[in-house]
């Protein structure tokens, strides 16, 4: 994999090449089905080497009948197609104050498209869950060292039984009507709607059902909210996505003419749907409602607002989304040591001249 750097895409914003971590400038995304070339990439390890010809998916552990599925088996089972937004829990980490360590993502560690696959539930039912099953552990083919522990780890995450059995949690084999692109998990990827994308394990190697909560480092060390800088009091795991919105137009520090401008963006949530998006151009003195496109169950909602500006000067444009559970973006994001779940009201500064 030494040639990885040469595969970097010039239109993605690169944070690191080994492993490959890129985001997409949020203004590039103007379709609900984001093409592969604009799909952010978030990896903990080098890309895995897979042998596609002998690919099979074993399900074992706390089940009645340990079962191995071939790709062909999976393709023959009833499939589900879902439009799902995947947001990295580190999205917007760059905006935390005080700053936190980790990839300094701006707004672009988010993407969405159409995923087709078989509900994980179908496979678990075929293998037969044993009474007392607690967690379903999904392992990817990628592995490597960690900076904080001296062993080598695979990328592995578990879902509690309830989320694993949710009929919308799928083992996907298609993205936007094509086989999943290699860097996004080919041939099989778990897709967990409504949870931060860390749960959506790429390059699935095997699935194990266990009778106690899984303690792997990607859910007990990382992907945990630590409210305090110097100790672990009050820690809790990263799961459901927060309500959030991002301004796509205008760009930060853009120069604009006087007249009418269509402020555009996206909003998303891990609970229910987006019920409103409000815009302010006077530092939150007054808020006006943006037009929102059809409500999305698992995808993001596009919104727009016609802004007529006569007076020259500097303006800050704010966007604030609220979901159907009544959750609203806060003025200040909940600070946590590893910088997850940033969702403060979005702000973009412009100058009208
Ligand atoms: N096998 C595997 N799955 C993974 C990861 C990984 O490093 N390895 N990263 C997770 C994280 S943190 C995110 S945000 C998404 C990124 O998916 P993408 O690279 O397709 O955008 O995949 C998740 N699934
Ligand atoms: Mo992530």
């Amino acid at each position: 994999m030494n040639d990885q750097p040469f595969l970097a895409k010039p239109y993605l914003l690169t944070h690191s090449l080994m492993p490959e971590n890129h985001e997409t400038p949020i203004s590039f995304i103007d379709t609900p089905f984001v093409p592969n070339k604009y799909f952010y990439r978030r990896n903990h390890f080098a890309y895995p080497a897979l042998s596609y010809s002998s690919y099979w998916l074993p399900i074992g552990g706390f089940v009645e009948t340990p079962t191995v599925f071939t790709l062909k088996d999976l393709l023959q089972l009833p499939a589900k197609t879902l439009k799902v937004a995947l947001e990295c829990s580190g999205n917007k980490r760059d905006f935390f104050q005080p700053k936190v360590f980790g990839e300094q993502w701006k707004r672009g560690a988010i993407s969405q498209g159409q995923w087709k696959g078989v509900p994980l539930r179908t496979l678990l039912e075929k293998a037969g869950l044993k009474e007392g099953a607690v967690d379903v552990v999904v392992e990817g083919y990628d592995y490597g060292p960690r900076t904080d522990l001296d062993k080598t780890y695979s990328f592995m995450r578990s879902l509690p039984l309830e989320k694993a059995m949710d009929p919308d949690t799928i083992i996907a084999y298609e993205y936007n009507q094509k086989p999943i692109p290699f860097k996004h998990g080919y041939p099989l990827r778990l897709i967990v709607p409504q949870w931060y994308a860390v749960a959506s394990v790429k390059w699935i190697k095997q699935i194990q059902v266990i009778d106690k909560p899984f303690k792997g480092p990607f859910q007990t060390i990382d992907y945990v909210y630590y409210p305090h800088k110097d100790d672990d009091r009050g820690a809790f795991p990263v799961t459901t996505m927060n309500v959030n919105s991002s301004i796509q137009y205008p760009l930060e520090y853009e120069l604009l003419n006087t007249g009418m401008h269509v402020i555009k963006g996206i909003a998303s949530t891990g609970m229910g749907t987006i019920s409103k998006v409000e815009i302010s151009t006077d530092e939150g003195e007054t808020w006006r409602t943006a037009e929102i496109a059809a409500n999305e169950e698992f995808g993001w909602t596009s919104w727009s607002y016609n802004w007529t500006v006569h007076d020259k000067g500097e303006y800050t444009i704010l966007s604030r989304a609220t979901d159907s559970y009544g959750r609203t973006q806060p003025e200040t994001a909940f600070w946590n040591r590893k910088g997850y779940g940033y969702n403060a009201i979005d702000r973009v500064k412009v100058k009208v001249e």
Side-chain angles (χ1 to χ4, degrees):
M1 294 260 123
N2 289 332
D3 58 348
Q4 266 184 1
F6 304 106
L7 302 174
K9 298 281 192 216
Y11 31 72
L12 298 182
L13 196 71
T14 302
H15 292 282
S16 73
L17 286 169
M18 184 58 116
E20 201 177 17
N21 285 306
H22 301 286
E23 69 178 287
T24 316
I26 192 80
S27 58
F28 287 23
I29 295 172
D30 59 358
T31 156
F33 302 102
V34 177
N36 179 22
K37 65 178 182 179
Y38 293 155
F39 193 153
Y40 79 98
R41 297 169 183 173
R42 171 51 180 131
N43 296 294
H44 294 76
F45 302 121
Y47 289 111
L50 294 173
S51 170
Y52 308 122
S53 54
S54 63
Y55 192 88
W56 30 249
L57 175 63
I59 298 197
F62 225 60
V63 293
E64 301 293 346
T65 319
T67 309
V68 174
F69 295 91
T70 63
L71 275 182
K72 211 167 148 201
D73 294 335
L74 296 182
L75 293 174
Q76 279 161 359
L77 291 167
K80 194 150 203 179
T81 303
L82 301 169
K83 193 203 289 177
V84 179
L86 292 180
E87 181 180 13
C88 179
S89 51
N91 196 26
K92 303 189 179 185
R93 178 178 289 131
D94 186 41
F95 305 149
F96 272 108
Q97 285 299 338
K99 297 286 291 178
V100 295
F101 290 93
E103 303 276 343
Q104 296 298 300
W105 303 105
K106 299 180 189 302
R107 298 176 175 82
I110 186 167
S111 189
Q112 118 173 330
Q114 201 174 54
W115 297 93
K116 180 178 179 186
V118 182
L120 172 58
R121 181 191 184 108
T122 308
L123 306 187
L124 293 173
E125 280 171 350
K126 282 192 179 290
L129 289 172
K130 279 195 180 155
E131 194 141 333
V134 168
D135 261 13
V136 178
V137 184
V138 180
E139 180 176 359
Y141 266 101
D142 51 332
Y143 62 89
R146 288 177 55 97
T147 48
D148 55 348
L149 300 169
D150 47 13
K151 272 189 0 205
T152 287
Y153 288 84
S154 306
F155 188 82
M156 262 200 246
R157 291 262 316 175
S158 77
L159 290 176
L161 208 54
E162 198 193 351
K163 194 67 179 172
M165 294 296 278
D166 186 315
D168 295 321
T169 296
I170 60 173
I171 307 273
Y173 48 76
E174 271 183 21
Y175 177 71
N176 289 349
Q177 297 174 307
K178 297 214 181 74
I180 299 175
F182 172 71
K183 292 188 170 183
H184 299 289
Y186 181 87
L188 295 178
R189 175 178 196 164
L190 186 64
I191 292 293
V192 185
Q194 300 181 316
W195 279 33
Y196 278 112
V198 64
S200 294
V201 178
K202 302 190 274 189
W203 312 292
I204 302 175
K205 182 178 182 186
Q206 59 165 330
I207 297 173
Q208 287 281 326
V209 180
I210 59 176
D211 62 351
K212 48 178 129 6
F214 181 61
K215 290 278 191 305
F218 296 101
Q219 63 198 74
T220 55
I221 299 177
D222 303 327
Y223 303 100
V224 174
Y225 294 103
Y226 299 101
H228 303 284
K229 188 171 187 333
D230 298 315
D231 63 69
D232 295 354
R233 268 179 307 134
F236 62 102
V238 168
T239 58
T240 308
M241 288 190 286
N242 290 330
V243 63
N244 218 340
S245 71
S246 286
I247 298 165
Q248 295 178 287
Y249 177 84
L251 301 178
E252 266 190 290
Y253 290 92
E254 196 164 345
L255 295 168
L256 303 175
N257 296 323
T258 53
M260 210 273 275
H261 297 280
V262 184
I263 303 172
K264 284 196 312 186
I266 55 173
S268 53
T269 177
M271 283 171 71
T273 56
I274 292 293
S275 47
K276 86 181 158 185
V277 176
E278 298 160 293
I279 304 299
S280 174
T281 54
D282 57 7
E283 279 296 339
E285 283 285 307
T286 50
W287 291 92
R288 303 206 191 266
T289 311
E291 296 270 330
I292 59 177
N295 265 332
E296 294 287 344
E297 195 177 9
F298 304 138
W300 62 51
T301 297
S302 292
W303 52 263
S304 66
Y305 174 75
N306 294 343
W307 181 40
T308 304
V309 53
H310 301 295
D311 298 332
K312 295 177 180 180
E314 292 183 10
Y315 294 86
T316 308
I317 300 169
L318 307 180
S319 74
R320 177 173 75 182
T322 300
D323 69 20
S324 54
Y325 280 73
R327 304 189 306 167
T328 297
Q329 287 179 258
E331 262 166 55
T332 309
F334 164 64
W335 189 94
N336 60 99
R337 192 167 80 226
K338 291 206 175 206
Y340 299 122
Y342 185 98
N343 76 330
I345 292 170
D346 203 33
R347 44 171 59 232
V348 161
K349 193 153 188 185
V350 296
K351 187 172 180 186
V352 176
E353 55 178 25

